[in-house]
Amino acid sequence: MGNLVIIGAQWGDEGKGKIVDILAQNADIVVRYQGGSNAGHTVINDRGTFVFHLIPSGILYRGTLCAIGNGVVVDPGSLIEEMDHLQGQGVKFGKNFVMSQRAHVILPYHKAIDRASEQSKGSRKIGTTGRGIGPSYADKMARIGILMGDLLNPSLFRKKLEENLVEMNWFLERLYKVETFQVDKVFDQYMSYADRLKSYIVDTTTLLNRAIGKNKTVLFEGAQGTHLDVDFGTYPYVTSSSSAAGGACTGTGVGPTMIDAVMGIAKVYTTRVGSGPFPTELTDEVGQGLQERGKEFGSTTGRARRCGWFDAVVVRHATQVNGLSSLAVTKLDVLDGCKELKLCTGYRHGSTIHKDMPADLDVLTGCEPIYQRMKGWTASTTGATSYKKLPAEAKRYLARIEELAQCRIDMISTGSKRAETIMLRNPLDCSRRRSRLTGH
Ligand code: IMP
């Protein structure tokens, strides 16, 4: 078994949680490498429905180690809340859970600035989750961030907090005209979080690399999606982290030569939450139908997701920037009963045809999708586990997705439960012999 990165190929919410959950049974370690509690990964199994925000989706397996990498921004309060909730559902936390001492901390002022900044933007707002993600990553890049490891060093933490609050309170009071924060209160609150979390804060980079050295299998669990990536997404309507495959290296300290394959997860249609361009968006009853049948409401914020036809330009772009080795397509059953389906093969902007994703937001916003129409199917695919038994039209639709996305499909999800899956090939079957010794 090899080391595999799981990436959202669209704008997030592609169903990564379910795919990671299935693959985690054969993995030794599952590691999150970016994002924070803005993510919402849902896993449904015979023990119930589990929603993860920060904790890797592998936590349901006893023998799997779950790690939060250095590239993640951790809100300790919401992490503890999530752990408590999961413990109430019977999940155990002990030696099976670790987080990086280098992961950055989300502080209350990050959340306050996130919300106030969004409000001040009016119609230009990003539509963030309000979880303080952007401001926390901004501090990381400005070299004033606070690390999880700093929480274990109270005097260092207090010094950094005092310095940061001078600046942050100035913004909150003068620019945004909202409440400010007191050093003592925040310090005491975060010291109590540290007390609860200290046994989990370790050097995850050494741990991961040692495990890989012993041929352990690592799954890198991406959050959000390629088109929310701060470099490759529809900037500035993106999240503030590297959700594309490159983030798996910088967000864990595992080098690219240690990664064997990258799997992209894509719905057989497209959704997006928050603001920003979405060429194949359907604002009519067809889009509403997808939203209802696909239960397209966010698991973190409860917001309704915008829905549209499958956009091959988007997924082809994901194939390119992530170096995808295969795809898992999800929610095939949601298209059951659609008489006609449309696939976007390219964009028209004035007299120009775009086969690749335009970087210019004005161009992308002005693009008209070019559609290929395909016949839908009436038979149910819900819960299908055999590719052979799928309706011929569904097979043709999937084959066309492979062709347009320039990437083979390894897995097809036909329902929310673990078993409702067609496995064409096991993407973890990708191990490459790896040795730093020359053998001379
Ligand atoms: P932020 O990550 O909260 O800063 O939000 C930035 C953008 O990313 C907004 O459009 C959010 O709706 C979107 N976003 C963040 N996390 C997710 C996710 O897990 N799924 C889908 N969209 C997300």
Side-chain angles (χ1 to χ4, degrees):
M1 296 279 160
N3 301 319
L4 177 73
V5 182
I6 307 270
I7 300 284
Q10 294 157 323
W11 276 284
D13 307 313
E14 298 93 348
K16 294 179 289 294
K18 173 183 161 168
I19 303 296
V20 172
D21 173 62
I22 292 172
L23 299 176
Q25 44 190 322
N26 292 313
D28 299 297
I29 302 178
V30 182
V31 57
R32 273 277 307 270
Y33 60 84
Q34 47 71 231
S37 43
N38 49 350
H41 295 169
T42 306
V43 171
I44 303 174
N45 64 21
D46 18 310
R47 284 161 64 193
T49 298
F50 300 84
V51 181
F52 304 108
H53 300 288
L54 266 166
I55 294 166
S57 307
I59 200 77
L60 300 177
Y61 295 103
R62 280 271 163 91
T64 307
L65 174 68
C66 286
I68 292 180
N70 55 278
V72 173
V73 281
V74 179
D75 178 344
S78 75
L79 174 62
I80 290 169
E81 220 174 274
E82 187 176 342
M83 289 169 79
D84 287 345
H85 186 76
L86 289 169
Q87 273 169 339
Q89 290 187 288
V91 177
K92 299 232 171 356
F93 289 90
K95 290 211 164 80
N96 59 339
F97 180 56
V98 288
M99 72 191 92
S100 171
Q101 56 204 176
R102 292 174 191 266
H104 279 245
V105 180
I106 294 186
L107 287 124
Y109 49 82
H110 292 133
K111 290 190 261 191
I113 290 173
D114 191 357
R115 288 171 196 159
S117 150
E118 277 285 271
Q119 199 145 26
S120 74
K121 285 195 177 92
S123 62
R124 289 183 307 105
K125 71 171 193 254
I126 308 286
T128 72
T129 58
R131 301 288 196 268
I133 307 295
S136 175
Y137 279 115
D139 279 6
K140 175 177 177 171
M141 293 307 172
R143 295 162 296 187
I144 56 166
I146 291 173
L147 314 181
M148 285 306 285
D150 295 343
L151 298 183
L152 306 181
N153 182 344
S155 58
L156 175 69
F157 170 55
R158 192 175 176 102
K159 190 168 166 284
K160 282 185 158 188
L161 183 65
E162 276 170 358
E163 281 172 11
N164 287 358
L165 272 179
V166 172
E167 191 178 325
M168 300 305 156
N169 278 341
W170 190 91
F171 276 116
L172 289 167
E173 192 178 357
R174 303 281 186 92
L175 181 65
Y176 296 125
K177 306 199 175 5
V178 294
E179 263 185 62
T180 56
F181 293 92
Q182 287 171 358
V183 175
D184 285 340
K185 259 191 169 170
V186 179
F187 179 78
D188 291 346
Q189 188 184 33
Y190 275 65
M191 282 300 95
S192 78
Y193 294 152
D195 204 40
R196 170 84 189 269
L197 296 175
K198 62 184 177 223
S199 62
Y200 304 107
I201 302 171
V202 302
D203 174 2
T204 49
T205 300
T206 302
L207 186 151
L208 287 166
N209 281 289
R210 284 207 179 127
I212 291 170
K214 290 180 187 156
N215 278 328
K216 301 284 185 202
T217 297
V218 182
L219 259 188
F220 297 80
E221 179 178 10
Q224 290 83 46
T226 303
H227 298 89
L228 288 173
D229 180 281
V230 72
D231 285 278
F232 302 110
T234 44
Y235 192 88
Y237 297 99
V238 294
T239 189
S240 300
S241 65
S242 298
S243 46
C249 293
T250 53
T252 60
V254 172
T257 54
M258 299 294 137
I259 291 171
D260 302 296
V262 184
M263 181 185 230
I265 318 297
K267 277 178 195 166
V268 291
Y269 50 96
T270 313
T271 64
R272 172 164 205 171
V273 198
S275 325
F278 180 179
T280 63
E281 182 171 13
L282 293 164
T283 49
D284 56 8
E285 68 281 2
V286 181
Q288 217 174 331
L290 289 173
Q291 192 181 72
E292 280 160 22
R293 288 195 306 280
K295 301 188 182 67
E296 297 295 355
F297 299 92
S299 38
T300 299
T301 58
R303 287 182 292 176
R305 297 177 186 141
R306 299 153 68 192
C307 296
W309 293 119
F310 184 87
D311 187 337
V313 180
V314 161
V315 180
R316 208 159 47 229
H317 185 234
T319 302
Q320 192 179 70
V321 301
N322 296 305
L324 294 185
S325 25
S326 68
L327 281 171
V329 292
T330 60
K331 297 212 166 183
L332 183 68
D333 53 299
V334 174
L335 296 184
D336 289 355
C338 286
K339 271 199 189 125
E340 186 187 63
L341 301 168
K342 289 184 187 172
L343 283 166
C344 170
T345 58
Y347 305 142
R348 183 174 289 109
H349 185 258
S351 56
T352 312
I353 304 289
H354 291 272
K355 290 282 178 190
D356 300 309
M357 195 88 184
D360 184 322
L361 210 69
D362 281 348
V363 173
L364 184 62
T365 309
C367 278
E368 286 287 321
I370 300 168
Y371 284 121
Q372 171 183 351
R373 290 161 190 267
M374 292 192 77
K375 198 165 169 248
W377 53 92
T378 46
S380 168
T381 66
T382 307
T385 52
S386 153
Y387 178 77
K388 272 191 197 151
K389 290 188 187 154
L390 288 180
E393 295 85 356
K395 287 185 195 161
R396 270 199 290 275
Y397 183 70
L398 294 170
R400 189 64 181 133
I401 285 182
E402 278 189 330
E403 209 168 41
L404 290 169
Q406 291 169 6
C407 193
R408 69 160 201 250
I409 295 172
D410 273 359
M411 293 172 75
I412 303 161
S413 172
T414 56
S416 51
K417 301 195 188 90
R418 234 182 228 175
E420 294 174 326
T421 308
I422 300 170
M423 181 77 95
L424 297 167
R425 280 172 222 90
N426 185 348
L428 280 174
D429 230 344
C430 56
S431 178
R432 277 178 281 173
R433 204 164 157 268
R434 202 184 285 120
S435 172
R436 286 203 187 87
L437 303 174
T438 59
H440 294 317

